[in-house]
């Protein structure tokens, strides 16, 4: 068992790179190990059982690589697998290690960002169906009304580098209009998928100027910083050499091309196998 190691960040694909980017901007001194299960993406349409098993395999792999803390930088994995891993697996693997998600940090901050107490969530089908945002927000802010819409074509728009194309307008406008028709009083929208910040210019184009658009990266980073401050024993086991390494279950060249879209920097990546 390692005494110290990097902070692991897991996603079914590439969207978690926006979470990694936000965390590194706030906490650049730490080491990071990013794992994308790109061979089995997308997780959104998959069952709870399959998402749990895939996520479990990934977290266990990151633990074997020395990670003391793993962030599920994936809304679907956070919605469908986080609680089961925390309750069922961590006590057996190593009760001193931790796995955290991206939904709760956003739910915690939303109360400060809405005046009307009506908020929207745009996310994948799996995240919307899980109602995880509704449940977390209701626990913390029972007075807030949550409305959600699934956006099935948004991830491909990003991953095929079409986020800035004129053709993206139709798909973005359609889902935003659908959300605002559900509840015209919405004054804050959570982007409940880590790909969606790359569509921000399009989203802002079709959202009223008085509506806040909430990308998760900076809030997850702020929550992680606070968490590490509250858990100094864990913080001391997170190594600090300002390095980032990347793992993928798919073709490394494909990963490098996509990572350039999200991070705007070249990366070196290692191919691994899960399962």
């Amino acid at each position: 068992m390692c005494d110290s190691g990097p902070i692991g960040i897991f996603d079914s694909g590439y969207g978690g790179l926006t979470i990694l980017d936000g965390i590194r901007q706030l906490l650049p001194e730490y080491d990071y190990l990013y794992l994308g299960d790109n061979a089995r993406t997308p997780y959104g349409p998959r069952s709870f059982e399959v998402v749990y098993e895939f996520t479990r395999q990934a977290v266990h792999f990151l633990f074997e690589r020395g990670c003391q803390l793993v962030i599920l930088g994936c809304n679907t994995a956070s919605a469908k697998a986080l609680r089961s891993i925390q309750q069922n697996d961590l006590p057996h693997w190593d009760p001193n290690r931790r796995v955290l998600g991206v939904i709760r940090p956003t739910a915690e901050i939303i109360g400060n960002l809405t005046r009307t107490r009506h908020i929207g969530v745009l996310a994948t089908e799996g995240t919307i169906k899980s109602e995880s945002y509704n449940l977390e927000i209701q626990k913390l802010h029972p007075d807030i009304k949550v409305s959600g819409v699934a956006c099935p074509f948004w991830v491909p728009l990003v991953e095929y580098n079409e986020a800035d194309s004129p053709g993206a307008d139709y798909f973005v406008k359609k889902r935003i209009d659908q959300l605002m028709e559900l509840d015209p009083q919405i004054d804050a929208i959570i982007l409940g998928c880590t790909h969606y910040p790359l569509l921000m210019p399009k989203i802002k184009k079709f959202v009223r100027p008085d509506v806040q658009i909430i990308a998760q990266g900076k809030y997850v980073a702020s929550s992680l910083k606070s968490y590490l401050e509250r858990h100094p024993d864990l913080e001391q086991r997170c190594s600090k050499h300002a390095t980032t390494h990347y793992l993928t279950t798919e073709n490394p060249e494909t990963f490098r091309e996509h990572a350039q879209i999200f991070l705007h920097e070249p990366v070196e990546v290692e191919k691994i196998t899960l399962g």
Side-chain angles (χ1 to χ4, degrees):
M1 191 169 299
C2 298
D3 293 326
S4 67
I7 295 172
I9 298 177
F10 168 68
D11 186 21
S12 59
Y14 302 101
L17 294 169
T18 63
I19 300 297
L20 170 65
D21 190 45
I23 292 173
R24 284 196 307 183
Q25 287 185 39
L26 186 63
L27 302 167
E29 68 272 27
Y30 292 90
D31 296 325
Y32 299 97
L33 183 60
Y34 182 91
L35 169 55
D37 188 10
N38 309 94
R40 302 189 293 196
T41 197
Y43 279 16
R46 296 185 185 272
S47 69
F48 273 75
E49 292 77 15
V50 169
V51 172
Y52 165 57
E53 182 55 32
F54 286 0
T55 306
R56 183 180 180 275
Q57 292 169 4
V59 171
H60 189 261
F61 189 94
L62 289 168
F63 279 173
E64 287 186 324
R65 285 290 184 101
C67 295
Q68 304 296 303
L69 166 67
V70 172
I71 310 293
L72 302 185
C74 171
N75 284 271
T76 302
S78 295
K80 295 184 175 183
L82 176 62
R83 191 175 301 278
S84 295
I85 290 173
Q86 289 174 331
Q87 294 178 350
N88 301 335
D89 299 306
L90 271 182
H92 302 291
W93 289 342
D94 185 344
N96 294 313
R97 302 198 197 195
R98 293 290 180 267
V99 182
L100 306 175
V102 293
I103 292 175
R104 187 172 180 86
T106 318
E108 288 174 342
I109 198 67
I110 192 66
N112 299 330
L113 301 176
T114 172
R115 301 175 312 280
T116 65
R117 316 309 278 177
H118 291 251
I119 68 112
V121 178
L122 297 169
T124 64
E125 181 183 1
T127 299
I128 294 298
K129 282 187 174 179
S130 75
E131 297 192 340
S132 294
Y133 274 98
N134 306 55
L135 294 169
E136 285 293 334
I137 290 170
Q138 285 297 304
K139 278 187 221 169
L140 300 166
H141 313 286
D143 63 318
I144 291 180
K145 179 183 177 183
V146 183
S147 302
V149 167
C151 308
F153 295 107
W154 287 21
V155 168
L157 284 173
V158 172
E159 294 201 347
Y160 286 101
N161 207 14
E162 295 290 330
D164 296 326
S165 71
D169 287 29
Y170 169 80
F171 296 102
V172 173
K173 183 178 187 300
K174 180 178 180 180
R175 299 306 176 184
I176 290 171
D177 288 350
Q178 187 179 343
L179 179 64
M180 300 308 290
E181 284 171 13
L182 281 177
D183 185 356
Q185 294 186 64
I186 287 171
D187 72 344
I189 297 175
I190 295 171
L191 301 184
C193 173
T194 50
H195 282 71
Y196 295 177
L198 275 76
L199 288 162
M200 188 69 81
K202 296 286 188 190
I203 294 168
K204 287 184 173 178
K205 181 177 176 182
F206 298 113
V207 170
R208 296 194 318 263
D210 62 303
V211 177
Q212 287 199 69
I213 311 299
I214 300 158
Q216 295 171 297
K218 71 175 182 178
Y219 299 112
V220 173
S222 177
S223 179
L224 175 59
K225 183 175 186 290
S226 175
Y227 187 88
L228 291 172
E229 289 169 352
R230 298 195 312 272
H231 298 83
D233 291 347
L234 177 63
E235 192 279 334
Q236 289 168 18
R237 300 200 312 274
C238 296
S239 56
K240 302 172 187 68
H241 304 97
T243 66
T244 306
H245 293 95
Y246 301 88
L247 308 172
T248 180
T249 56
E250 245 291 2
N251 183 295
E253 184 56 40
T254 303
F255 185 95
R256 280 192 286 269
E257 291 173 4
H258 282 81
Q260 184 77 32
I261 297 170
F262 286 84
L263 298 175
H264 308 293
E265 65 182 42
V267 304
E268 290 301 318
V269 60
E270 173 190 349
K271 183 178 180 181
I272 61 102
T273 301
L274 295 174

